[in-house]
Every structure is written in structure tokens, then in C-alpha cells.
């Protein structure tokens, strides 16, 4: 009985953390990769239809930030596919590539913020003194249209709230992907050495109708009795 309890405790120690407190870590990484693919394709294909709505979540009010975000989305459609495949097949290398992409995406996001926040803070200057603003920042049709419609304050408030929430959400997803990478690297020796404890169910499955499984469960019940 003691051996059975020790084996259960050891298995629980190896069990990875949950994602969003309700989804297994492996499945959470898989879904975040699919979400990244969807958002990347939506930004690339539907930027003319949904650009105004997507901008408040990811930025893109200046030329530099739009270039960075476009590169992030263009490459993200590829690296996120590798991440989804890695989570599906439990391949550490593919998930690691996806994790590195997530880190670079956060860096690019910070750069975009550094470009967009000053541009929105100077939004009213496009009405007060347009020539001075053009000389300072260059022509910016997006911010000019926002100023022309009198949406400077509301746009800045929406951008500050929505982009901050989205940024920290992706920080959380990146952290969880890093945990999954660490978990995969720690589980690799168990595939090699047969004397290691049983693998976590994230890496294998077995039928509960197998005779060996039924005999094992019957043995555990007798031990507990």
C-alpha cells in the first residue's frame, strides 16, 4: 500500500500545471497556437475590413509599428503551425521554436507600443497645428483621421486598456509554453530508460479494457484492503 501511495505522489509531482486553471497544459499550448494562427491570418487577410478593431488590441498606428506587426503576423502563421504540431506530437523541438517566436513577438509588441503611444498622445496636434505635426512625425493618415473624427481621447483609452490586456494575456501564454517545454525536456529520459516511473497520461494512453490493466487495478484494490 505504501509503495502504491508513493508511486501516486511521484506521479502527481510530475504532473504539469494547468493552463487557465481548467485546461491541461499540453492542450492549452495547442489551443494558443491555433489562436495565434487565426489572429495572424485575420490580421493579414482582413486588415482592410477589421483593421480599426484589431488596432486597439495590437497597435499599428504608425508606419514602423505596422511593419513590425505585419512581420509578426506573417511569420506567426508559420511558427504557430509548428507549435500546434509540436503540442500534438509532443515534440520538444517544434514547441521550443514556437516558444522562441512567442518571446520575439512580445519584444516586437513592446516596440510597437513605443511607437504608437507617443503618436496617440500627440493626436490632438493634428487639429491644432497640422503643419508642425507633419514636420515632427511625418504624415500619418490613421492618426489624422482619428483626430478629424474627434476620437483622440477615446481611442487612446481603448488602446491602453485592450492592448494591455492582450499583451499580458500573451505573456501568460508564453510562460505556459515555457513550462511545457521544460516539462517535455524533463520527460524525455523516461522514453529511454525502462526502469523510470510510468509516464504522465499526456504522453501515452491505454485502454481500460485491457486484461493487464484490469489485473493491475485488481492488485491495487487487494493491496489497499
Amino acid at each position: 500500500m505504501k509503495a502504491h501511495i508513493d508511486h501516486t505522489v511521484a506521479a502527481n509531482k510530475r504532473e504539469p500545471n494547468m493552463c487557465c486553471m481548467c485546461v491541461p497544459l499540453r492542450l492549452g499550448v495547442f489551443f494558443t497556437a491555433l489562436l495565434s494562427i487565426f489572429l495572424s491570418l485575420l490580421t493579414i487577410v482582413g486588415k482592410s475590413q477589421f483593421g480599426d478593431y484589431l488596432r486597439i488590441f495590437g497597435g499599428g498606428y504608425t508606419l514602423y509599428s505596422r511593419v513590425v506587426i505585419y512581420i509578426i503576423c506573417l511569420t506567426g502563421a508559420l511558427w504557430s503551425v509548428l507549435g500546434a504540431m509540436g503540442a500534438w506530437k509532443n515534440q520538444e523541438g517544434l514547441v521550443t521554436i514556437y516558444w522562441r517566436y512567442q518571446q520575439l513577438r512580445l519584444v516586437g509588441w513592446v516596440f510597437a507600443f513605443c511607437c504608437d503611444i507617443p503618436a496617440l498622445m500627440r493626436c490632438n496636434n493634428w487639429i491644432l497645428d497640422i503643419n508642425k505635426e507633419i514636420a515632427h512625425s511625418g504624415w500619418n493618415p490613421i492618426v489624422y483621421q482619428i483626430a478629424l473624427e474627434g476620437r483622440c481621447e477615446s481611442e487612446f483609452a481603448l488602446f491602453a486598456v485592450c492592448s494591455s490586456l492582450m499583451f499580458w494575456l500573451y505573456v501568460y501564454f508564453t510562460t505556459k509554453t515555457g513550462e511545457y517545454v521544460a516539462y517535455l525536456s524533463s520527460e524525455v529520459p523516461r522514453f529511454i530508460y525502462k526502469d523510470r516511473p510510468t509516464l504522465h497520461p499526456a504522453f501515452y494512453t491505454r485502454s481500460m479494457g485491457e486484461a493487464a490493466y484490469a489485473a493491475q487495478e485488481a492488485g491495487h484494490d487487494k493491496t489497499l484492503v
Side-chain angles (χ1 to χ4, degrees), residues 22 34 100 144 224:
C22 61
L34 293 183
R100 298 304 181 190
Y144 172 72
L224 292 176

Side-chain angles (χ1 to χ4, degrees), residues 50 155 160 174 190 209:
F50 308 104
E155 189 77 13
T174 304
R190 295 189 175 89

Side-chain angles (χ1 to χ4, degrees), residues 111-212:
F111 175 80
F113 287 161
C114 293
C115 296
D116 289 340
I117 291 176
L120 288 176
M121 292 179 66
R122 299 176 61 87
C123 177
N124 286 319
N125 292 345
W126 288 95
I127 300 299
L128 299 176
D129 194 341
I130 186 173
N131 294 325
K132 181 179 179 180
E133 189 60 27
I134 292 176
H136 179 272
S137 307
W139 174 244
N140 190 332
I142 294 177
V143 179
Y144 172 72
Q145 185 64 31
I146 293 173
L148 202 63
E149 297 174 359
R151 297 189 291 112
C152 291
E153 288 77 11
S154 61
E155 189 77 13
F156 182 78
L158 283 173
F159 175 71
V161 173
C162 296
S163 62
S164 297
L165 291 175
M166 187 64 70
F167 176 80
W168 288 112
L169 180 64
Y170 270 93
V171 168
Y172 175 78
F173 288 158
T174 304
T175 302
K176 288 300 178 181
T177 305
E179 292 181 8
Y180 184 53
V181 170
Y183 187 68
L184 284 175
S185 62
S186 66
E187 287 290 335
V188 169
R190 295 189 175 89
F191 288 100
I192 303 174
Y193 301 106
K194 295 182 179 180
D195 58 342
R196 295 300 178 93
T198 304
L199 291 174
H200 187 268
F203 297 92
Y204 84 108
T205 185
R206 60 189 299 186
S207 173
M208 297 180 65
E210 292 179 0

Side-chain angles (χ1 to χ4, degrees), residues 76-88:
L78 170 63
W79 305 127
S80 299
V81 169
L82 296 181
M85 292 174 57
W88 183 266

